[in-house]
Amino acid sequence: MLSPATIELVGAAGATLTTLCWLPQAVKVIRDKDTRALSLPANLAFTLGVALWLVYGIALNNWPLIGSESVTLALMLTIVATKLRYG
């Protein structure tokens, strides 16, 4: 059985990795302005899912979830906005 502190550490590590994985994509689309290979429906669905997770985190007052989903949402909105602009 994992201790509560270990569980929190695992959750924080997972949140950090799944949040930061979008940073290179956001940087690439901003730099290259080439989003042809990105699926708009998939990115919109993922962005909506992230927004819903953020609402859930706020409802639970879960700061690791709120923090990670806020950053992920900002990155995804950047990617979607770039896709819409340069398509």
Side-chain angles (χ1 to χ4, degrees):
M1 184 97 185
L2 298 175
S3 71
T6 301
I7 292 169
E8 287 295 318
L9 184 61
V10 168
T16 300
L17 290 172
T18 57
T19 297
L20 292 180
C21 77
W22 292 103
L23 185 58
Q25 185 71 66
V27 169
K28 182 169 177 41
V29 299
I30 291 167
R31 184 185 65 231
D32 297 346
K33 297 182 181 30
D34 180 9
T35 60
R36 289 174 292 170
L38 300 180
S39 166
L40 183 59
N43 279 278
L44 284 172
F46 185 78
T47 301
L48 178 59
V50 168
L52 293 172
W53 275 113
L54 177 57
V55 170
Y56 179 72
I58 291 168
L60 294 178
N61 198 31
N62 183 308
W63 287 103
L65 189 55
I66 293 168
S68 65
E69 296 307 311
S70 295
V71 173
T72 303
L73 183 59
L75 293 169
M76 290 309 301
L77 288 172
T78 300
I79 290 166
V80 168
T82 306
K83 175 68 175 171
L84 290 171
R85 183 166 183 193
Y86 298 105

